[in-house]
Amino acid sequence: MKWLVTGGAGFIGSNFVFYMLDKYPEDQIICLDKLTYAGNLETLEGVMENPGFTFVKGDIADREAVYALFEKERPDIVVNFAAESHVDRSVVDPGIFLQTNILGTGVLMDACRKYGIQRYHQVSTDEVYGDLPLDRPDLFFTEETPIHTSSPYSASKASADLLVQAYHRTFGLPVSISRCSNNYGPYHFPEKLIPLMIANALNDKPLPVYGTGENVRDWLYVTDHCAAIDLIVRKGRVGEVYNIGGHNERTNLQVVKTILKALDKPESLIRFVTDRPGHDMRYAIDPTKIHEELGWLPETPFDEGIQKTIRWYLNNKPWWEHIISGDYQNYYEKMYGNR
């Protein structure tokens, strides 16, 4: 099987590449990534020489480049992780989110129609559902929950989901969509909550927490997410949406305090800062559908996963220190400059 994994130099995409190469060494993985600020080729250093892996630098919104890649590689499966994904950045500059997340998705599906594929899988987010009230812990997002977006980021992802469903209904494109809760684990970009808190705590810098830190997220260890996507692509029903949740709800403040305790750092490092506009209060996913249809359940409890994540950041300081310093953006030139 030949897989095209877009956004494979990012956090979840790279973990998916590692998962697939380990589990299915006979398969081929082509990774297409634009290497924006969040794409880091250093992340893929360990698989660059793997004969089953090929890296291609490119933009999913570049129709000519995408078609040329499909013409050459003829992938069987496309899994689209490529996305602008940071909510704060979408508030500052929505345009690039529309370009990549919506138009890029359309280009990929047009290529899939033109060259033929067995499955196109869209990696989405629970943020398309909006949020849930803090005083209703009995409420969860299901696949039937209406879309109700809060940010330009979530609106762009919801738009992409609707486009994917339209291509299935209009053109018969074999598609599936997964909507996941907040991921965490190795290679998470340091501007996100958990890696930012770890890096700042290790450097005895203030830990900025929005509002009062009471916003609740459902945390999903990234390897569990990769296993779910693999199952959906291979055994999930065409045209369906599957929610992937961790059953690991925590307030942002609880997460930060857990990290400080693990690193033996004082809670006095916490700094409450002005909340961002339209900040969703609570995300919580009901993964009943994927469990009943495909037998998937998350295997990693948060208390175990966060300790594994903290250990990874302690053992891989050069990786995130290069990002903080900006050196990681020179890695592509080092790798390919003389080729």
Side-chain angles (χ1 to χ4, degrees), residues 317-334:
K317 283 187 178 182
W319 181 85
W320 54 267
E321 287 175 342
H322 284 178
I323 293 176
I324 291 172
S325 70
D327 286 348
Y328 78 105
Q329 292 184 319
N330 300 320
Y331 187 77
Y332 180 83
E333 192 60 33
K334 293 176 185 175

Side-chain angles (χ1 to χ4, degrees), residues 32 55 63 68 79 84-85 103 107 151 154 174 193 199-200 300 306 328-329 335 339:
L32 176 65
F55 178 81
R63 188 174 296 272
V79 182
E84 297 287 341
S85 65
L103 298 181
V107 168
S151 69
S154 58
L193 177 69
N200 280 17
T300 312
I306 192 65
Y328 78 105
Q329 292 184 319
M335 284 290 295
R339 293 191 179 185

Side-chain angles (χ1 to χ4, degrees), residues 216-237:
V216 172
R217 299 295 181 260
D218 175 20
W219 292 98
L220 175 66
Y221 194 67
V222 66
T223 306
D224 291 342
H225 185 193
C226 295
I229 292 173
D230 179 31
L231 265 178
I232 293 168
V233 171
R234 293 175 185 274
K235 299 181 179 179
R237 288 183 290 146

Side-chain angles (χ1 to χ4, degrees), residues 259-304:
I259 292 168
L260 288 170
K261 183 178 180 180
L263 295 174
D264 195 26
K265 297 291 184 176
E267 292 185 6
S268 58
L269 287 174
I270 296 172
R271 297 288 187 275
F272 294 104
V273 298
T274 302
D275 211 349
R276 71 172 176 232
H279 195 178
D280 289 333
M281 293 308 299
R282 173 176 172 254
Y283 301 147
I285 273 187
D286 179 357
T288 298
K289 180 177 177 179
I290 189 173
H291 173 57
E292 291 184 346
E293 288 192 15
L294 306 179
W296 179 89
L297 280 175
E299 296 183 359
T300 312
F302 182 78
D303 291 339
E304 174 188 330

Side-chain angles (χ1 to χ4, degrees), residues 27 34 36 65 67 71-72 80 112 148 155 181 188 214 216 239 268 308 321 330:
D27 284 1
K34 189 179 178 181
T36 62
Y67 278 26
E71 179 74 36
K72 178 183 178 183
N80 182 26
C112 290
H148 185 69
S181 54
H188 203 175
E214 294 307 306
V216 172
S268 58
K308 289 168 60 175
E321 287 175 342
N330 300 320

Side-chain angles (χ1 to χ4, degrees), residues 37-329:
Y37 77 95
N40 184 358
L41 203 57
E42 286 188 11
T43 301
L44 297 170
E45 186 174 11
V47 298
M48 293 299 287
E49 303 302 323
N50 187 315
F53 178 77
T54 303
F55 178 81
V56 179
K57 184 178 181 182
D59 183 354
I60 62 170
D62 183 341
R63 188 174 296 272
E64 183 178 349
V66 169
Y67 278 26
L69 180 60
F70 272 73
E71 179 74 36
K72 178 183 178 183
E73 298 291 353
R74 302 285 175 151
D76 301 302
I77 308 288
V78 177
V79 182
N80 182 26
F81 292 94
E84 297 287 341
S85 65
H86 197 259
V87 176
D88 289 355
R89 288 177 181 261
S90 80
V91 174
V92 174
D93 182 15
I96 186 62
F97 287 75
L98 310 185
Q99 178 74 19
T100 299
N101 298 357
I102 304 174
L103 298 181
T105 297
V107 168
L108 285 175
M109 289 191 298
D110 284 341
C112 290
R113 289 182 60 217
K114 179 177 175 65
Y115 293 97
I117 42 92
Q118 294 179 26
R119 178 70 67 91
Y120 173 89
H121 183 77
Q122 179 75 4
V123 180
S124 189
T125 171
D126 59 359
E127 294 190 43
V128 302
Y129 298 123
D131 64 352
L132 298 166
L134 293 179
D135 61 355
R136 289 293 306 277
D138 57 311
L139 295 180
F140 295 87
F141 297 136
T142 73
E143 290 81 0
E144 305 306 316
T145 301
I147 286 174
H148 185 69
T149 61
S150 303
S151 69
Y153 161 63
S154 58
S156 69
K157 292 296 287 185
S159 300
D161 286 3
L162 293 173
L163 193 62
V164 171
Q165 291 173 321
Y167 268 62
H168 171 62
R169 184 166 183 175
T170 301
F171 304 116
L173 192 70
V175 306
S176 50
I177 298 170
S178 57
R179 293 172 179 159
C180 67
S181 54
N182 283 42
N183 279 219
Y184 69 106
Y187 299 107
H188 203 175
F189 198 76
E191 73 180 359
K192 301 288 187 165
L193 177 69
I194 287 177
L196 176 64
M197 297 300 124
I198 294 171
N200 280 17
L202 288 172
N203 291 317
D204 296 309
K205 294 173 62 176
L207 277 60
V209 176
Y210 281 133
T212 59
E214 294 307 306
N215 305 72
V216 172
R217 299 295 181 260
D218 175 20
W219 292 98
L220 175 66
Y221 194 67
V222 66
T223 306
D224 291 342
H225 185 193
C226 295
I229 292 173
D230 179 31
L231 265 178
I232 293 168
V233 171
R234 293 175 185 274
K235 299 181 179 179
R237 288 183 290 146
V238 170
E240 291 294 309
V241 175
Y242 291 90
N243 283 351
I244 309 173
H247 279 314
N248 286 305
E249 288 187 57
R250 298 289 190 282
T251 68
N252 288 346
L253 190 58
Q254 285 175 317
V255 171
V256 172
K257 287 183 176 182
T258 298
I259 292 168
L260 288 170
K261 183 178 180 180
L263 295 174
D264 195 26
K265 297 291 184 176
E267 292 185 6
S268 58
L269 287 174
I270 296 172
R271 297 288 187 275
F272 294 104
V273 298
T274 302
D275 211 349
R276 71 172 176 232
H279 195 178
D280 289 333
M281 293 308 299
R282 173 176 172 254
Y283 301 147
I285 273 187
D286 179 357
T288 298
K289 180 177 177 179
I290 189 173
H291 173 57
E292 291 184 346
E293 288 192 15
L294 306 179
W296 179 89
L297 280 175
E299 296 183 359
T300 312
F302 182 78
D303 291 339
E304 174 188 330
I306 192 65
Q307 297 301 327
K308 289 168 60 175
T309 301
I310 291 169
R311 285 196 300 272
W312 188 90
Y313 280 89
L314 285 171
N315 294 331
N316 293 273
K317 283 187 178 182
W319 181 85
W320 54 267
E321 287 175 342
H322 284 178
I323 293 176
I324 291 172
S325 70
D327 286 348
Y328 78 105
Q329 292 184 319

